[in-house]
Amino acid sequence: MSIQGIYTIKSNCALTADVFKMVLEGDTSAITASGQFINIQLEGRFLRRPISVCDYDETTITIIYKVVGEGTEQMSALKAGERLDCLVGLGNGYDISKSEKPLVIGGGVGIPPLYNLTKRLIANGQKPIVILGFNTKSEIFYFDEFKALGCEIRVTTVDGSFGTKGFVTDAMDSDYDYFYTCGPMPMFRAIESVAKTSGQFSFEERMGCGFGACMGCSCKTKDGYKRICKDGPVLVREEIVW
Amino acid sequence: MSIQGIYTIKSNCALTADVFKMVLEGDTSAITASGQFINIQLEGRFLRRPISVCDYDETTITIIYKVVGEGTEQMSALKAGERLDCLVGLGNGYDISKSEKPLVIGGGVGIPPLYNLTKRLIANGQKPIVILGFNTKSEIFYFDEFKALGCEIRVTTVDGSFGTKGFVTDAMDSDYDYFYTCGPMPMFRAIESVAKTSGQFSFEERMGCGFGACMGCSCKTKDGYKRICKDGPVLVREEIVW
Amino acid sequence: MVDLSVNFCGMQMDNPVVPASGTFGFGKEFKDFYDINILGSFSFKGTTKDARFGNPTPRIAECKNGMINAVGLQNPGVESVIKNELPELKKFFHKKVIANVSGFSVEDYAYTCALLDKEEQVGILEVNVSCPNVHGGGMSFSTDPACAAEVTRAVKAVTTKPVIIKLSPNVTDIVVIAKACEEAGADGICLINTLLGMRIDTKRRTPVIANKMGGFSGDAVFPVAVRMVYQVSKACNIPVMGCGGVSSAADVIEMMMAGATAVQVGAANLVNPFACKEIIEALPAECERLGIERISDIIGVVD
Amino acid sequence: MVDLSVNFCGMQMDNPVVPASGTFGFGKEFKDFYDINILGSFSFKGTTKDARFGNPTPRIAECKNGMINAVGLQNPGVESVIKNELPELKKFFHKKVIANVSGFSVEDYAYTCALLDKEEQVGILEVNVSCPNVHGGGMSFSTDPACAAEVTRAVKAVTTKPVIIKLSPNVTDIVVIAKACEEAGADGICLINTLLGMRIDTKRRTPVIANKMGGFSGDAVFPVAVRMVYQVSKACNIPVMGCGGVSSAADVIEMMMAGATAVQVGAANLVNPFACKEIIEALPAECERLGIERISDIIGVVD
Ligand SMILES: Cc1cc2nc3c(=O)[nH]c(=O)nc-3n(C[C@H](O)[C@H](O)[C@H](O)COP(=O)(O)OP(=O)(O)OC[C@H]3O[C@@H](n4cnc5c(N)ncnc54)[C@H](O)[C@@H]3O)c2cc1C
Ligand SMILES: Cc1cc2nc3c(=O)[nH]c(=O)nc-3n(C[C@H](O)[C@H](O)[C@H](O)COP(=O)(O)OP(=O)(O)OC[C@H]3O[C@@H](n4cnc5c(N)ncnc54)[C@H](O)[C@@H]3O)c2cc1C
Ligand SMILES: Cc1cc2nc3c(=O)[nH]c(=O)nc-3n(C[C@H](O)[C@H](O)[C@H](O)COP(=O)(O)O)c2cc1C
Ligand SMILES: Cc1cc2nc3c(=O)[nH]c(=O)nc-3n(C[C@H](O)[C@H](O)[C@H](O)COP(=O)(O)O)c2cc1C
Ligand code: FES
Ligand code: FES
């Protein structure tokens, strides 16, 4: 069950040229799964901005966001101590009961929700291999943080400036029994075409509400329509209509 | 010639339950006469708020305003150090070349512009008598400040709780050769019906721009139409169509 | 104590605040945020004869002080609404609900309304005529007085419940349409639905919304809504349900003074799920500030 | 270097930014703030055959993200404009100006345009048809395609200058009206004029504006303007001057991608007298950010 609350910014700093990490303090009791998101109200913007939970504990939520437009630009200028109205605990999140040795595959700003997911998989005794795809070395973020979780991390860069040259799919040749992914649509299509197992994809869609009321974010699945914000953002491979 | 500038709030404090005084710091070179006004941009409000200059010097502008709606409410919560975008030096202001022994008559929040006017009249060697009208004692503001200017001050209150009981017109029985007034329309009508000399009235009107561009504030005068914001707010008794 | 109650088309409501169709689903998503029995009533998601997926996504675009939606009447169809949604709703909402009905032919409307007429939970039928008429070259029923009247008559013929017609603001003369509905037997008018708007993604050089254009609503449209509520309530003798850009108690009062008997809140619910609760809680103080003892006294008080 | 120049109806402009009629007077009030020769051009205050005082005050109401005006076409009349305003303007504005003309009969329009046709400072005649037709029961010329076409023909007959017709958005089908004007010989279309809106002073229980209703404009109306510019530019073969809610360089680009060849800025000038200057200065960087080398390349680029 999602909640609305006022969260205090503890920190907000750049990880790369246009990717920022913000830590929010407040009630996190509504977060029940990795891959859920929060919906942030920004002064002077009509709609809220949906951002995945990258990590959380009893009192803080960490988010990582890329500046792509006016709202995220505005977020990047917020200072510690400022307060934000957020809806928290939105979406279904990843179901981690399905795997033993999964691949966790992230591309660009699809990576953040996979951090808490990986942490949780490890805590649960599963053995994830994490593949992180970036365009180039200077855009890499959270590599050390993932490393510190103690599982295998593979990085791909399109230009080969770090790790394997190529796409995340160029690093998928291992034994795995499942996969969890978040990232851009072209990456999803590539994974869909090579993946050997079942898995879960986390989708993005423009949202009116983020909590299931407006039908703004619907998508067709093999099991009928689903709302990305409420029945998603995570969909299982088998139900997705590409 | 009016200017646009960013002004820093030096102080902002209550004079009565709903009347506040704000001192702004910035370029005051555009102010050339008593009775001119500034037009203040407030965060989140589409139109600016016109407020008379109560007093000014080389670097500061003092305004006095009553909380009557959302904009003035918002102004009352502003703190020293905050900055405001203002258009400054708007309107014609009072022409003080016409009198030797004038009455200066203000009602409620019509009083502020008369403070600088009175100061200027005295500096100019004229001998103003100031009549300030309020509803009741608790609403009186700037009495001491006017007093300190060293001219005769008469206060009227509708309920008689201070000074003469009644209206400003009940304190007008003296020798005078001209008058300057600012206040509500009923007061203007009363003055118009008893005044024995020529004089100047300062009007209010809802404004689109405040600098003469939109024709939002026009009024008919005997000399054709005038814009309250540019050709006014001060009109001479003889030209006014009541 | 301020009396907030109003009577809209015979439906007694504790207060005039009604979430607008399409922004409140079938109530489920909001009951987790607050007890929705505090509402005057609510208008459920536009329901059609058959289930509809609606338009392709993206369906939502942000605007300064508003949003555009092109949901396209996604709903499970009237049979499913009656079989699944209404029984579910009954568990947590104990007042009569407003049934918002859409259609693409006069028969569609009559069919859907005839079924909903039998539902004891439904207090009022709200007929959204801002839909393209497939037999009329795709022109909306709401742009032609004769079409709007025809829908009104067809619906009135199949129900004994009060019928209100929800009008589109995208017309030259709203009064002509409203009067045609009144003459055809409408018990009330609801307005406004969304203004037709568009935003462009300048990076991609495409419309933001897959459907290109969509329905613009939210704070920005309030002055247009107030104007139309005023015009229609002065011209007609049936009550008006005001809607469009309402997000505060002050807005509710302004809309009622313009002529609305009850007031719907749309997009504001999406941005702030507590919008209606906060408005209802703020209304008594706002009324007191303005010297209003019974909110029903101010309906259409402006000349 | 980004090329900001555009050619609108044969008028070569350094940039597409044009202050809208009624928000820039005859330029005088703005020349004290900045050198207005940086503008593409500007559209002067709506001018009529005879001098007009306009409507009673209050004429202005504030809205969330916009304003309502009911100035009522106050202007000194065309003779005085030609005798006093244009010579005055010549002293500080060295480009061609757009002459905004209003009228209350077809003859009015023709009379005023015939006089302005002789003025070498006038580059384009912008005919505002959002005025009540006194011979047509007060209905606006802009709500009927035949009326709008009649005005267009009458004006075209008395001038060799380009004629653009400025349309009201308060219509069911803007495309029908625009096409009627095109067929009648219009060289371009300007849209949108203001939406009809209303605000109420809830303390006094009266409309804020003496005239009750008025023209709503400013940021809030932008999505409606973008939509109409898009619809009309797709349907017509004559250039469109976009207008409505523009207040930034990004808005100008969005409006042009929707189909506008040049873009007018209205209410924004009133709130920020430097609005157009700031937009013109921001345009090159905004174009670079979006990979635009020549701004004229993006006109109507959206499918
Ligand atoms: C479930 C979910 C989780 C997300 N998690 C993250 C994350 O962890 N990190 C991150 O950087 N980004 C994330 N995004 C994308 C993020 O929401 C957008 O980048 C952001 O809303 C852009 O806002 P803006 O004001 O900067 O852009 P603008 O283009 O100015 O925004 C205009 C409107 O479009 C919406 N919008 C624009 N891009 C997107 C998008 N890609 N998805 C959804 N709405 C969009 C905005 O919310 C706003 O309503 C997520 C999106 C969704 C749906
Ligand atoms: C030339 C001039 C000088 C003024 N000087 C002073 C002064 O020194 N002290 C003072 O307290 N007040 C003064 N006023 C009145 C002051 O402008 C209004 O009280 C103020 O704008 C109200 O804003 P609000 O947001 O609180 O009210 P709201 O009612 O919320 O405002 C809504 C809109 O109406 C306008 N408005 C409301 N009341 C008035 C009014 N009386 N006159 C003009 N516009 C109005 C607002 O500016 C705004 O655009 C002056 C007005 C004018 C025209
Ligand atoms: C996402 C969304 C979906 C809507 N769906 C419907 C609908 O199904 N039926 C209907 O009559 N109106 C629908 N509307 C219109 C609203 O009920 C309301 O008339 C309009 O949004 C204006 O009110 P607002 O400005 O408060 O949003 C919808 C509006 C939105 C924002
Ligand atoms: C105060 C004011 C006066 C206006 N006067 C005229 C006019 O005389 N002639 C005209 O064609 N449009 C007039 N307009 C309409 C504007 O030119 C413009 O079409 C409209 O305001 C929409 O643009 P905006 O949203 O940028 O203000 C006026 C608008 C305002 C705000
Ligand atoms: S965003 Fe409203 S239902 Fe998903
Ligand atoms: S307020 Fe615009 S002309 Fe006076």
Side-chain angles (χ1 to χ4, degrees):
Chain A
M1 210 166 91
S2 51
I3 58 165
Q4 177 266 345
I6 305 295
Y7 292 76
T8 306
I9 300 174
K10 274 188 68 173
S11 65
N12 188 27
C13 54
L15 297 181
T16 72
D18 55 5
V19 173
F20 290 74
K21 169 177 152 178
M22 183 186 282
V23 181
L24 293 165
E25 197 161 37
D27 184 350
T28 65
S29 63
I31 308 175
T32 55
S34 309
Q36 288 185 315
F37 66 97
I38 67 175
N39 213 358
I40 307 175
Q41 187 152 61
L42 297 170
E43 181 82 29
R45 309 272 154 212
F46 194 76
L47 297 175
R48 290 172 184 263
R49 297 306 188 262
I51 304 285
S52 302
V53 173
C54 166
D55 199 14
Y56 69 102
D57 60 24
E58 289 70 33
T59 56
T60 68
I61 301 171
T62 301
I63 58 174
I64 293 180
Y65 60 95
K66 182 171 173 177
V67 172
V68 299
E70 294 190 335
T72 45
E73 175 84 47
Q74 192 174 333
M75 277 173 67
S76 71
L78 295 174
K79 305 236 165 346
E82 292 192 71
R83 293 144 74 86
L84 287 173
D85 178 328
C86 302
L87 300 177
V88 170
L90 303 173
N92 57 357
Y94 293 101
D95 175 353
I96 62 165
S97 67
K98 311 282 178 181
S99 64
E100 303 238 308
K101 201 170 182 300
L103 288 183
V104 172
I105 314 168
V109 282
I111 289 169
L114 304 178
Y115 178 74
N116 184 263
L117 172 71
T118 304
K119 214 165 146 177
R120 209 182 265 244
L121 287 167
I122 293 171
N124 209 30
Q126 287 147 286
K127 301 250 162 330
I129 297 175
V130 177
I131 307 173
L132 306 178
F134 298 94
N135 287 312
T136 185
K137 190 177 171 188
S138 66
E139 293 181 7
I140 295 174
F141 62 84
Y142 250 52
F143 177 67
D144 293 336
E145 286 80 353
F146 271 97
K147 210 113 224 201
L149 295 179
C151 59
E152 185 182 339
I153 312 290
R154 302 175 185 168
V155 172
T156 65
T157 53
V158 177
D159 65 0
S161 51
F162 190 92
T164 307
K165 182 179 162 93
F167 301 99
V168 288
T169 41
D170 295 318
M172 279 175 67
D173 52 349
S174 359
D175 235 29
Y176 58 92
D177 63 354
Y178 204 76
F179 66 88
Y180 303 96
T181 182
C182 184
M185 279 308 289
M187 184 185 96
F188 281 6
R189 292 218 175 75
I191 292 171
E192 169 64 17
S193 70
V194 304
K196 300 170 296 190
T197 67
S198 179
Q200 293 168 26
F201 294 79
S202 180
F203 286 86
E204 281 188 7
E205 192 45 83
R206 297 221 172 202
M207 294 185 173
C209 64
F211 54 88
C214 73
M215 304 291 144
C217 64
S218 296
C219 75
K220 279 183 182 141
T221 73
K222 292 181 185 149
D223 310 332
Y225 77 78
K226 294 210 167 178
R227 294 160 300 180
I228 294 294
C229 73
K230 181 94 179 177
D231 312 310
V234 177
L235 300 182
V236 178
R237 186 176 186 187
E238 288 66 33
E239 66 181 329
I240 298 168
V241 180
W242 290 98
Chain B
M1 210 165 91
S2 51
I3 58 166
Q4 178 267 347
I6 305 294
Y7 292 76
T8 306
I9 299 174
K10 276 189 67 173
S11 66
N12 188 25
C13 55
L15 297 181
T16 72
D18 55 5
V19 173
F20 291 73
K21 170 177 152 178
M22 182 185 282
V23 181
L24 293 165
E25 197 160 37
D27 184 351
T28 64
S29 62
I31 308 175
T32 55
S34 308
Q36 288 185 314
F37 65 97
I38 67 175
N39 213 358
I40 307 174
Q41 187 151 60
L42 298 171
E43 182 82 33
R45 307 273 155 213
F46 194 78
L47 297 176
R48 292 172 183 262
R49 292 327 189 240
I51 304 285
S52 301
V53 173
C54 167
D55 199 14
Y56 69 102
D57 58 26
E58 289 69 35
T59 57
T60 68
I61 301 170
T62 301
I63 57 174
I64 294 180
Y65 60 95
K66 182 171 175 175
V67 171
V68 299
E70 294 188 336
T72 43
E73 176 84 47
Q74 194 174 330
M75 278 173 66
S76 70
L78 296 174
K79 305 235 165 349
E82 293 192 71
R83 292 144 74 86
L84 288 173
D85 179 328
C86 303
L87 300 177
V88 170
L90 302 173
N92 56 357
Y94 293 101
D95 175 353
I96 61 165
S97 67
K98 312 281 179 183
S99 64
E100 303 238 309
K101 200 168 184 300
L103 288 183
V104 172
I105 315 168
V109 282
I111 290 169
L114 304 179
Y115 178 74
N116 184 264
L117 172 72
T118 304
K119 217 166 143 176
R120 210 182 263 243
L121 287 167
I122 292 171
N124 210 27
Q126 286 146 285
K127 301 249 160 334
I129 297 173
V130 176
I131 307 173
L132 305 177
F134 298 95
N135 287 312
T136 184
K137 190 177 171 186
S138 65
E139 294 181 6
I140 295 174
F141 61 85
Y142 249 52
F143 176 68
D144 293 336
E145 286 80 353
F146 271 96
K147 237 200 151 150
L149 296 178
C151 59
E152 183 180 341
I153 313 289
R154 302 175 186 168
V155 171
T156 65
T157 54
V158 178
D159 65 1
S161 52
F162 190 91
T164 308
K165 183 179 161 95
F167 302 98
V168 289
T169 40
D170 294 316
M172 279 174 68
D173 51 349
S174 1
D175 234 32
Y176 58 93
D177 63 354
Y178 205 76
F179 65 88
Y180 303 96
T181 181
C182 185
M185 279 308 287
M187 184 185 94
F188 281 5
R189 291 216 177 77
I191 292 171
E192 168 64 15
S193 71
V194 305
K196 299 169 297 187
T197 68
S198 180
Q200 294 169 26
F201 293 79
S202 180
F203 286 87
E204 282 187 7
E205 191 46 82
R206 298 223 172 200
M207 292 184 175
C209 64
F211 54 88
C214 73
M215 304 291 142
C217 64
S218 296
C219 77
K220 279 185 183 143
T221 73
K222 291 181 185 152
D223 310 332
Y225 76 79
K226 293 209 169 179
R227 295 161 300 182
I228 293 295
C229 72
K230 183 93 179 178
D231 312 309
V234 177
L235 299 182
V236 179
R237 187 176 186 188
E238 288 67 33
E239 66 182 328
I240 298 167
V241 180
W242 289 99
Chain C
M1 266 299 292
V2 180
D3 178 0
L4 294 181
S5 68
V6 294
N7 185 299
F8 186 85
C9 286
M11 182 157 112
Q12 189 61 30
M13 308 203 298
D14 296 334
N15 61 66
V17 180
V18 175
S21 178
T23 65
F24 214 73
F26 291 89
K28 262 196 293 245
E29 288 74 21
F30 288 86
K31 75 148 200 313
D32 293 345
F33 289 113
Y34 63 92
D35 177 1
I36 67 170
N37 288 293
I38 63 166
L39 298 168
S41 177
F42 81 90
S43 176
F44 67 53
K45 175 65 197 168
T47 293
T48 51
K49 183 167 173 284
D50 304 310
R52 287 174 56 84
F53 172 70
N55 293 319
T57 53
R59 296 174 172 184
I60 303 283
E62 191 184 44
C63 307
K64 297 176 204 165
N65 271 33
M67 61 179 282
I68 298 177
N69 88 83
V71 168
L73 294 171
Q74 175 176 343
N75 79 93
V78 64
E79 260 112 41
S80 169
V81 166
I82 289 172
K83 203 171 128 243
N84 304 312
E85 302 296 345
L86 287 183
E88 177 74 19
L89 177 63
K90 199 169 197 155
K91 295 186 199 153
F92 55 84
F93 188 60
H94 314 306
K95 295 181 170 178
K96 302 250 177 194
V97 72
I98 299 174
N100 185 277
V101 172
S102 293
F104 303 91
S105 68
V106 175
E107 298 72 43
D108 273 11
Y109 282 106
Y111 178 90
T112 307
C113 287
L115 289 186
L116 287 166
D117 176 61
K118 306 208 185 70
E119 296 305 310
E120 153 277 322
Q121 281 165 276
V122 172
I124 292 176
L125 291 168
E126 179 180 84
V127 180
N128 169 19
V129 289
S130 310
C131 309
N133 177 0
V134 289
H135 303 314
M139 268 269 292
S140 161
F141 291 99
S142 62
T143 57
D144 178 27
C147 281
E150 198 187 339
V151 174
T152 308
R153 272 189 300 269
V155 170
K156 280 296 287 181
V158 298
T159 181
T160 54
K161 294 193 198 284
V163 170
I164 69 177
I165 310 296
K166 182 163 174 187
L167 301 182
S168 160
N170 302 297
V171 296
T172 306
D173 189 344
I174 192 76
V175 168
V176 171
I177 318 273
K179 280 187 135 168
C181 296
E182 179 176 25
E183 277 153 28
D187 301 291
I189 298 287
C190 175
L191 78 176
I192 59 172
N193 211 311
T194 52
L195 284 165
L196 192 57
M198 181 177 185
R199 291 302 309 276
I200 286 165
D201 182 332
T202 52
K203 266 187 234 159
R204 299 215 182 103
R205 304 186 179 193
T206 60
V208 171
I209 284 187
N211 208 37
K212 295 185 179 176
M213 295 177 260
F216 174 37
S217 73
D219 291 350
V221 310
F222 184 67
V224 176
V226 169
R227 183 262 294 184
M228 290 194 168
V229 165
Y230 176 80
Q231 289 178 310
V232 168
S233 67
K234 290 291 172 225
C236 295
N237 295 309
I238 49 179
V240 171
M241 176 85 80
C243 181
V246 173
S247 67
S248 69
D251 294 343
V252 168
I253 289 172
E254 186 166 339
M255 197 76 110
M256 292 183 76
M257 286 188 178
T261 300
V263 176
Q264 297 192 345
V265 179
N269 294 303
L270 305 180
V271 183
N272 172 12
F274 295 95
C276 286
K277 179 169 192 276
E278 288 171 8
I279 290 172
I280 292 167
E281 286 167 358
L283 266 176
E286 190 67 11
C287 285
E288 267 163 27
R289 202 176 64 79
L290 294 166
I292 301 164
E293 277 171 33
R294 279 193 313 197
I295 205 164
S296 59
D297 290 344
I298 63 166
I299 299 166
V301 77
V302 168
D303 278 334
Chain D
M1 264 301 292
V2 180
D3 178 0
L4 294 182
S5 68
V6 296
N7 185 300
F8 186 86
C9 287
M11 182 156 111
Q12 188 62 31
M13 307 203 298
D14 296 334
N15 61 65
V17 180
V18 175
S21 179
T23 66
F24 213 74
F26 290 88
K28 261 195 297 242
E29 289 73 22
F30 288 87
K31 76 147 199 315
D32 292 345
F33 289 114
Y34 63 91
D35 177 2
I36 67 170
N37 289 292
I38 62 165
L39 299 168
S41 176
F42 82 90
S43 176
F44 67 53
K45 175 65 196 168
T47 294
T48 51
K49 182 166 174 284
D50 303 311
R52 287 174 55 84
F53 172 70
N55 292 319
T57 54
R59 296 175 172 183
I60 303 284
E62 191 185 45
C63 307
K64 297 176 205 165
N65 270 34
M67 61 180 280
I68 299 177
N69 88 82
V71 168
L73 295 172
Q74 175 176 343
N75 79 92
V78 64
E79 260 112 41
S80 170
V81 166
I82 290 173
K83 203 171 127 241
N84 304 311
E85 302 295 346
L86 289 182
E88 176 74 19
L89 176 63
K90 198 167 196 160
K91 295 185 198 154
F92 55 86
F93 189 60
H94 313 306
K95 295 181 169 178
K96 302 249 177 196
V97 73
I98 300 175
N100 185 277
V101 173
S102 293
F104 303 91
S105 69
V106 175
E107 298 72 44
D108 273 10
Y109 283 106
Y111 177 89
T112 307
C113 288
L115 290 186
L116 288 166
D117 176 61
K118 305 205 188 72
E119 296 305 310
E120 154 277 323
Q121 281 165 277
V122 172
I124 292 176
L125 290 169
E126 179 180 85
V127 179
N128 168 20
V129 289
S130 310
C131 310
N133 177 358
V134 288
H135 304 313
M139 270 267 293
S140 162
F141 290 98
S142 63
T143 57
D144 178 26
C147 280
E150 199 188 338
V151 174
T152 308
R153 271 188 302 270
V155 170
K156 280 295 288 181
V158 298
T159 182
T160 54
K161 294 192 197 285
V163 170
I164 69 176
I165 310 296
K166 182 164 176 187
L167 301 182
S168 161
N170 302 297
V171 297
T172 306
D173 188 344
I174 193 76
V175 168
V176 172
I177 317 271
K179 280 187 137 169
C181 295
E182 179 175 24
E183 278 153 28
D187 301 291
I189 298 287
C190 175
L191 76 177
I192 59 176
N193 211 311
T194 52
L195 285 163
L196 193 56
M198 181 176 183
R199 291 300 309 277
I200 285 163
D201 182 332
T202 53
K203 265 186 236 159
R204 299 217 182 101
R205 304 188 179 192
T206 60
V208 171
I209 285 187
N211 207 38
K212 294 185 180 176
M213 295 177 259
F216 174 37
S217 73
D219 292 350
V221 310
F222 184 67
V224 175
V226 169
R227 183 262 294 184
M228 290 195 168
V229 165
Y230 176 80
Q231 290 178 308
V232 167
S233 67
K234 289 292 174 228
C236 294
N237 295 308
I238 49 177
V240 171
M241 176 83 80
C243 180
V246 173
S247 69
S248 68
D251 294 343
V252 168
I253 289 172
E254 185 165 343
M255 197 75 110
M256 290 183 76
M257 287 189 177
T261 300
V263 176
Q264 296 192 346
V265 178
N269 294 303
L270 305 181
V271 183
N272 173 12
F274 295 95
C276 287
K277 179 170 192 276
E278 289 170 8
I279 290 173
I280 292 167
E281 286 167 357
L283 267 175
E286 190 65 13
C287 284
E288 267 163 27
R289 201 176 66 79
L290 295 165
I292 301 164
E293 277 172 30
R294 278 194 312 198
I295 206 164
S296 58
D297 290 344
I298 63 166
I299 298 166
V301 77
V302 168
D303 279 335

